[in-house]
Amino acid sequence: MPRSLSPSHANPVHAEMLHAATVRCLLACGALLLVLRATPAVAWRPWPHQRTSGSDLILGGSKKYEGSSELVHLKYHMGPILTANITVYPIWYGTWRKAQKKIIRDFISSISALRPKRPSVSGWWKTVRLYTDQTGANTSLSVRLGEEKSDRFYSHGKSLTRLSVQSVIKSAVTARTRPLATNSKGGVYLVLTADDVYVQDFCDNVCGFHYFTFPSIVGFTLPYAWVGNSAKLCPGVCAYPFAVPEYMPGWKPLKPPNGDVGVDGMVSVIGHEIAELATNPLVNAWYAGQDPSFPVEIADLCEGIYGTGGGGSYTGQMMEGPDGATYNMNGNRRRFLVQWVWNHVVGYCRGPNALD
């Protein structure tokens, strides 16, 4: 996964970087992890790319098999996937502007849009829907925005460990007033931290992660993900290509489609984590590799690929709007730049803006 961890990364852990296309973080939660042998899945950010978008639609060295490799052996390990209607419960931790929340809400709501403008977010989700469980049931078609919870007062501080992210969820589902529902069948709990909050390993190649909560901490086993706003801490790492790392002097960042570098960067990581939660919620369903402690999931395999021709250090062919903003898919009301995911039927990365 690109620099971010999946829900299972809620334990004290040490992140280890693997191959650019199969990077994962091994998290050690002390004695607890030794018993559970569980590791959160992480989402790494894209590597620096050699080309940027051009006018409207970039054409050029196109290759069909983006990210394809005979070395990729994505397998189903018989665990559950999210076949029931998926409800995403955002938990806004810290200070958020209304405009920022609207961007993320619209992305989530666009996943199941009925009449989208192509290429669309719902078209991107069609690849995720190709995955099935042992009964043959597909990943859910329905992804809806559920109730939300805000923690404007940073009740767990401005520096969180992976385990304390689970405590944030516990506070949301056990709140005295308007607690979030505990939906273990189709619920996805999305902890979103503001730009002044640091989470363990954040910016050190980690921008988000997903796993499931421990009953000993939260009281329930719930699939969840954390994604942070990197605008102040490390935009060149987690909001690339809308921000450029210091080691790339002279490179010009792309214009974000919604005018917010941090939040536009978060959207792709959110998509990454939701796609993996849907197909590997308990880290025992769809992943590559022999060890579940190092799961390489469907979004990890396509990290940094946003269009046809993507792979290695190239993002692929994206689109540029009249305002100069770069994107690769349309939502209900907005445009977004979201990485592709692995299509196990054809054996390569795929997205709605593919040219072939």
Side-chain angles (χ1 to χ4, degrees):
M1 297 181 150
R3 308 184 176 182
S4 36
L5 301 173
S6 318
S8 53
H9 303 346
N11 310 332
V13 296
H14 299 290
E16 294 185 23
M17 195 161 118
L18 304 178
H19 183 277
T22 60
V23 188
R24 299 305 281 171
C25 290
L26 173 60
L27 307 175
C29 184
L32 180 60
L33 183 59
L34 292 176
V35 174
L36 297 176
R37 294 200 75 232
T39 306
V42 305
W44 303 86
R45 293 309 303 144
W47 297 107
H49 308 294
Q50 297 175 346
R51 298 177 61 182
T52 57
S53 62
S55 176
D56 190 39
L57 184 63
I58 302 179
L59 300 176
S62 170
K63 58 182 180 179
K64 182 174 183 180
Y65 302 101
E66 289 79 17
S68 64
S69 172
E70 295 180 355
L71 300 178
V72 173
H73 299 291
L74 186 73
K75 296 181 180 179
Y76 177 53
H77 295 80
M78 306 306 288
I81 65 173
L82 299 186
T83 58
N85 292 345
I86 297 172
T87 302
V88 180
Y89 300 95
I91 301 173
W92 306 95
Y93 190 83
T95 303
W96 290 87
R97 298 194 305 273
K98 291 182 179 180
Q100 293 177 318
K101 291 184 177 181
K102 286 181 178 180
I103 294 171
I104 293 174
R105 286 174 184 145
D106 187 61
F107 171 69
I108 296 170
S109 299
S110 297
I111 294 176
S112 294
L114 297 177
R115 296 178 179 82
K117 178 182 178 181
R118 298 181 180 180
S120 66
V121 174
S122 59
W124 166 81
W125 189 254
K126 287 182 179 179
T127 300
V128 182
R129 289 210 67 234
L130 293 173
Y131 291 84
T132 58
D133 64 12
Q134 56 187 305
T135 70
N138 293 81
T139 304
S140 177
L141 171 64
S142 174
V143 179
R144 61 178 290 269
L145 189 65
E147 294 80 12
E148 304 177 22
K149 200 68 179 175
S150 295
D151 189 337
R152 300 187 304 275
F153 302 107
Y154 306 84
S155 63
H156 295 272
K158 289 190 175 183
S159 182
L160 305 176
T161 65
R162 297 181 190 276
L163 280 178
S164 61
V165 169
Q166 292 200 24
S167 297
V168 171
I169 297 173
K170 178 181 180 180
S171 295
V173 300
T174 61
R176 293 183 179 180
T177 59
R178 304 179 65 182
L180 292 184
T182 51
N183 179 357
S184 59
K185 188 176 182 181
V188 168
Y189 296 79
L190 185 59
V191 178
L192 303 168
T193 51
D195 58 12
D196 57 350
V197 176
Y198 175 76
V199 175
Q200 182 180 355
D201 297 324
F202 192 22
C203 297
D204 184 17
N205 292 335
V206 176
C207 306
F209 62 78
H210 78 87
Y211 202 47
F212 54 86
T213 61
F214 301 141
S216 60
I217 297 176
V218 179
F220 308 89
T221 299
L222 305 170
Y224 78 93
W226 159 76
V227 178
N229 186 336
S230 66
K232 293 181 180 179
L233 297 174
C234 56
V237 175
C238 294
Y240 185 88
F242 303 129
V244 177
E246 294 180 357
Y247 57 79
M248 296 174 63
W251 285 74
K252 183 179 180 181
L254 302 182
K255 183 178 180 180
N258 297 288
D260 191 307
V261 170
V263 175
D264 275 303
M266 289 180 72
V267 165
S268 187
V269 183
I270 290 171
H272 179 121
E273 300 302 340
I274 291 179
E276 293 183 341
L277 274 173
T279 56
N280 196 30
L282 301 182
V283 199
N284 61 358
W286 286 95
Y287 64 88
Q290 300 301 316
D291 189 345
S293 295
F294 296 92
V296 179
E297 300 167 277
I298 69 168
D300 297 331
L301 292 168
C302 304
E303 189 62 34
I305 297 177
Y306 299 88
T308 298
S313 60
Y314 177 43
T315 55
Q317 301 174 35
M318 303 173 288
M319 293 176 286
E320 186 174 276
D323 58 353
T326 300
Y327 67 105
N328 66 347
M329 58 188 75
N330 296 288
N332 289 329
R333 304 175 185 83
R334 306 168 186 273
R335 300 163 300 176
F336 302 102
L337 184 67
V338 182
Q339 72 152 93
W340 286 8
V341 292
W342 186 262
N343 182 323
H344 71 295
V345 176
V346 296
Y348 53 88
C349 300
R350 193 70 176 169
N353 58 313
L355 298 180
D356 44 14

